[in-house]
């Protein structure tokens, strides 16, 4: 399995699938998961001749569990090293949830010289937490409860999230998937406790507003209007307006994990955007 040794000695795990000479699409996963969460999209595009690259952020999945550096600035600097290592050019970046924040901050901090388009799926920008300037956000007490639940029983909390709001399995008359729940739990428990805990603050309190305004490439925003984790009113709707070349598609009744639940529709939207 390929690893990149980073500037501080940490090792970043990544997948590099498909046509080595194909057009490149990169994937940034959500909290507290790994690149495995994008396998349906990666296989779909690789089968169509694309080169698909997905990494496990430091502390997540198979990457090194560092004690410090569980923050967006470090994550995007790691990703920049990966782009340079693999000589990634003219890429399309795709990010879900916390990974959508990673894509946004990467483009805001490091620019778009290596990237031609981006896709944000159920992404956290511009800001999740409720503030005076962001009244549509989620109250900080909710994120405090996440931290408390992790300290009390992380394993149970990491079952409760996918069983309920993440996939929307708590809605009436929804077909649930025990496999999806167990796969989420598997990925979450592989991530270090410290990283998962620190990243609650990172995904909820990082303000990506200035990053969004800087992005000078086309960005497709995909968001479910029944996203219980990252409500569309505080995220997708605002991001699409802040992005200079933002385009929004709303998934009616869509959960936070539309790429896992509405697989065919998301894949078709991705390929259409890539080919446009």
């Amino acid at each position: 399995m390929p690893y990149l040794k980073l500037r501080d000695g940490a090792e970043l795990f990544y997948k590099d699938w498909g046509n080595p000479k194909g057009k490149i699409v990169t994937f940034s996963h959500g909290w507290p998961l790994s690149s495995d969460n994008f396998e349906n999209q990666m296989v779909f595009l690789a089968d169509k001749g694309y080169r698909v690259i997905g990494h496990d952020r430091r502390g997540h999945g198979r990457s090194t569990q560092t004690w410090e550096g569980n923050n967006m600035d470090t994550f995007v600097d790691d990703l920049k090293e990966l782009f340079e290592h693999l000589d990634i050019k003219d890429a399309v970046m795709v990010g879900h949830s916390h990974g959508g924040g990673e894509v946004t901050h990467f483009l805001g901090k490091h620019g778009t010289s290596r990237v031609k388009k981006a896709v944000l799926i159920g992404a956290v920008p511009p800001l999740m937490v409720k503030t005076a300037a962001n009244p549509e956000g989620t109250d900080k007490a909710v994120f405090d409860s996440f931290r408390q639940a992790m300290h009390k029983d992380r394993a149970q909390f990491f079952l409760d999230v996918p069983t309920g709001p993440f996939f929307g399995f708590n809605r009436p008359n929804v077909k649930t998937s025990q496999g999806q729940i167990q796969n989420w739990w598997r990925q979450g428990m592989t991530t270090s406790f410290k990283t998962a805990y620190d990243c609650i603050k990172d995904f909820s309190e990082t303000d990506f507003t200035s990053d969004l305004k800087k992005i000078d490439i086309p960005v497709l925003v995909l968001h479910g209007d029944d996203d219980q984790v990252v409500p569309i009113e505080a995220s997708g709707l605002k991001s699409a307006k802040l992005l200079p070349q933002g385009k929004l598609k709303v998934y009616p009744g869509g959960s936070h994990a539309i790429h896992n639940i509405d697989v065919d529709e998301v894949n078709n939207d991705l390929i259409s955007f890539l080919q446009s």
Side-chain angles (χ1 to χ4, degrees):
M1 295 188 293
Y3 285 86
L4 169 65
K5 181 167 282 191
L6 298 166
R7 60 205 172 280
D8 63 349
E11 293 188 322
L12 195 74
F13 170 83
Y14 65 94
K15 302 171 183 178
D16 190 348
W17 293 353
N19 180 3
K21 297 182 179 179
K23 295 179 180 179
I24 298 174
V25 185
T26 69
F27 291 87
S28 293
H29 63 80
W31 176 92
L33 306 173
S34 72
S35 55
D36 293 354
N37 190 245
F38 265 122
E39 62 186 8
N40 282 323
Q41 286 69 45
M42 292 180 69
V43 169
F44 173 78
L45 293 176
D47 280 343
K48 294 190 175 300
Y50 288 87
R51 180 184 177 190
V52 294
I53 298 167
H55 68 292
D56 295 355
R57 274 192 293 285
R58 69 166 62 215
H60 298 73
R62 289 138 292 203
S63 293
T64 301
Q65 295 190 1
T66 55
W67 191 253
E68 303 295 341
N70 301 312
N71 58 73
M72 195 53 63
D73 273 329
T74 303
F75 295 146
V76 301
D77 289 349
D78 292 348
L79 189 53
K80 181 175 183 286
E81 285 194 52
L82 182 63
F83 272 50
E84 292 169 347
H85 174 68
L86 298 176
D87 194 26
I88 292 173
K89 296 176 181 176
D90 296 323
V92 176
M93 299 182 75
V94 181
H96 170 246
S97 194
H98 193 195
E102 182 179 62
V103 169
T104 300
H105 192 51
F106 178 93
L107 296 172
K109 182 176 182 179
H110 295 303
T112 57
S113 62
R114 292 178 178 268
V115 186
K116 63 179 182 180
K117 292 181 181 180
V119 183
L120 304 179
I121 303 174
V124 298
L127 175 63
M128 278 196 74
V129 73
K130 184 177 183 178
T131 65
N134 186 43
E136 299 83 8
T138 301
D139 196 278
K140 184 176 177 292
V142 173
F143 304 113
D144 289 340
S145 74
F146 291 175
R147 285 180 273 261
Q148 292 164 5
M150 281 195 65
H151 276 304
K152 182 178 180 181
D153 188 344
R154 174 166 82 130
Q156 185 59 52
F157 179 51
F158 278 11
L159 277 178
D160 293 341
V161 173
T163 301
F166 190 89
F167 296 110
F169 291 158
N170 56 342
R171 294 307 196 206
N173 304 315
V174 171
K175 182 181 179 182
T176 64
S177 166
Q178 194 61 35
Q180 292 272 25
I181 294 168
Q182 292 177 357
N183 193 35
W184 197 102
W185 185 88
R186 174 189 65 83
Q187 292 174 65
M189 293 303 292
T190 304
T191 293
S192 85
F193 186 105
K194 179 68 159 55
T195 298
Y197 187 91
D198 288 353
C199 282
I200 295 172
K201 177 180 177 67
D202 193 59
F203 72 66
S204 65
E205 297 182 28
T206 302
D207 190 339
F208 300 94
T209 302
S210 62
D211 293 321
L212 291 165
K213 293 177 179 179
K214 293 177 187 175
I215 298 174
D216 58 357
I217 55 174
V219 181
L220 176 63
V221 179
L222 304 179
H223 216 109
D225 67 5
D226 191 32
D227 189 328
Q228 302 170 67
V229 178
V230 183
I232 191 171
E233 292 80 12
S235 51
L237 297 181
K238 288 187 174 183
S239 290
K241 292 179 180 178
L242 289 167
L243 288 159
Q245 298 183 56
K247 178 182 178 182
L248 173 67
K249 177 181 175 180
V250 177
Y251 280 59
S255 70
H256 185 53
I258 52 176
H259 65 299
N260 299 138
I261 301 299
D262 305 296
V263 175
D264 291 342
E265 188 173 357
V266 169
N267 287 352
N268 288 333
D269 286 336
L270 285 178
I271 197 75
S272 295
F273 185 61
L274 291 170
Q275 294 175 347
S276 64

